[in-house]
Amino acid sequence: MSESTTPAVTPVVTPAVAGATDWRAWQRSWDRQQEAYLPDREERFRVMLDMVEALVGPEPRVLDLACGTGSITDRLFKRFPKAVSTGVDLDPALLAIAEGTFAGDDRVTFVTADLKDPRWTDALPYDAYDAVLTATALHWLHSGPLAELYGQLALLVRDGGVFMNADHMPDPATPRINAADREQRHAQMDRAKAAGALDWAQWWEVAANDPVLAAPTAERFRIYGEHADGDTPPAAWHARVLREKGFAEARTVWASPSDALVLALK
Ligand SMILES: C[S@@+](CC[C@H](N)C(=O)[O-])C[C@H]1O[C@@H](n2cnc3c(N)ncnc32)[C@H](O)[C@@H]1O
C-alpha cells in the first residue's frame, strides 16, 4: 500500500519466539497492517472463496498471484483443505514468511518470479489452473503491463476456470465521492494506528530490524524501492480487458467505495 507516513517508531512487534521465528506472528502482524488500510479485507477474501466454490468447486488448483505472505492460500486451505496452491511473488521477505508459515505442507509451492517478465509462467509447476486469485497487488502494475498479464492469465486458466482480482479500483467518473471516501479511510487508518497498528513503512522498519528478515528485506527494497504504483484503472476497465484477452464473461462481484473484486470466467 502506498498510503503511508514517514515512521519515527521503535518497533513494537517482534514476532520471534525463543530464537525460532514465529511465522504465524508475522502473518498476524502483516494482516493487521493490511487491515488498517482495508477494513473489508476478510470480506473480500470470503466472497472470493464463495465464487471459487460456486464456479470450480471445493478442491481447486489455485494460483495465488502476487501472494505476499500467502494470505489467500491461508484462507483457501482453512476453507478447502483439499485445495492445492502455487504462490508466486517477487518479494524475498514476504516469500520467506510464506515459506516459513507453510513449511512441510505439500499442498503449496512458492515460486519467485516477476509478473512483468514475459516468461514468468515458465517457473510454475503446472500449466493450467482452476482459479487464479489475487488481492491488493496488481495496482503495482501500469495498465499496459497489466493487460499483457491478463493475456497470459487467459492462457493459464482452464476452460470453465476463473480469475479474480480484488484491488483498489477507484472510478474516475466520481471524483467527489472518491475524495470523501479517501478522507474517511484516512481517518480510519489514523484510528487503527492510534490503536497500535503499524503502517506500511513502520511494518517494513520492523522487518528490517529482525535478524532473520533483515537480509531479504534489504533485498526487497533493492528490487522495488519504497513502493511501485500503477495507474489503478476502474473495475469496468478490468472487466473489458479480461474479455478482450480471452475470458468469456467478466464483471464485478463485490465492491466497496474504493475497491472491487472482478471475476472473469474462461
Ligand atoms: C500488498 S501485497 C499483497 C499480498 C497478498 N496478496 C495479500 O493480500 O496479503 C502486494 C504483493 O504484490 C507483489 N508484487 C507486486 N508487483 C509484482 C511483480 N511485478 N511480480 C511479482 N509480485 C509482485 C509484491 O511483492 C507484494 O507481495
Side-chain angles (χ1 to χ4, degrees):
M1 304 294 295
S2 55
E3 297 174 71
S4 57
T5 53
T6 306
V9 284
T10 307
V12 292
V13 183
T14 310
V17 175
T21 301
D22 182 349
W23 297 112
R24 277 281 157 200
W26 277 107
Q27 292 284 355
R28 284 193 296 277
S29 97
W30 172 259
D31 285 344
R32 195 157 181 233
Q33 176 255 111
Q34 289 284 293
E35 282 161 7
Y37 297 97
L38 296 164
D40 303 324
R41 184 167 177 259
E42 288 303 323
E43 192 189 334
R44 286 191 335 184
F45 288 139
R46 179 187 62 75
V47 176
M48 183 181 267
L49 294 181
D50 282 350
M51 297 313 292
V52 165
E53 186 167 24
L55 286 156
V56 297
E59 298 182 25
R61 180 193 290 167
V62 167
L63 178 61
D64 183 351
L65 191 72
C67 62
T69 63
S71 310
I72 292 175
T73 297
D74 187 45
R75 277 84 179 160
L76 176 78
F77 288 168
K78 284 185 176 130
R79 180 150 164 190
F80 306 124
K82 291 186 174 165
V84 294
S85 179
T86 305
V88 60
D89 204 285
L90 185 59
D91 186 316
L94 298 183
L95 279 173
I97 297 174
E99 279 163 356
T101 303
F102 294 96
D105 189 334
D106 60 11
R107 294 171 298 177
V108 61
T109 310
F110 290 101
V111 169
T112 300
D114 183 349
L115 300 177
K116 288 191 263 188
D117 177 344
R119 302 202 52 177
W120 71 272
T121 58
D122 292 357
L124 299 176
Y126 303 104
D127 53 17
Y129 287 86
D130 301 311
V132 176
L133 308 176
T134 186
T136 329
L138 299 188
H139 66 271
W140 291 39
L141 273 62
H142 283 272
S143 42
L146 183 53
E148 294 295 310
L149 178 66
Y150 281 175
Q152 291 178 300
L153 297 180
L155 299 174
L156 207 51
V157 173
R158 68 154 168 90
D159 282 353
V162 291
F163 166 67
M164 277 183 259
N165 180 11
D167 208 354
H168 191 48
M169 299 183 190
D171 186 340
T174 61
R176 285 186 296 157
I177 296 173
N178 301 351
D181 168 58
R182 195 162 43 244
E183 194 172 322
Q184 190 181 44
R185 283 189 294 116
H186 279 261
Q188 278 169 355
M189 276 177 228
D190 290 344
R191 284 197 292 278
K193 283 181 67 173
L198 302 180
D199 71 18
W200 175 262
Q202 291 167 329
W203 192 88
W204 281 111
E205 192 176 298
V206 176
N209 285 303
D210 178 80
V212 176
L213 290 179
T217 297
E219 176 63 6
R220 70 90 50 199
F221 277 100
R222 195 192 61 72
I223 293 169
Y224 284 124
E226 196 60 38
H227 193 271
D229 269 324
D231 46 351
T232 56
W237 179 93
H238 292 266
R240 176 177 57 76
V241 172
L242 285 161
R243 284 190 298 265
E244 286 170 4
K245 294 292 179 181
F247 288 91
E249 299 179 16
R251 72 166 170 89
T252 298
V253 291
W254 175 92
S256 74
S258 62
D259 283 41
L261 172 60
V262 171
L263 182 155
L265 177 68
K266 180 80 180 295

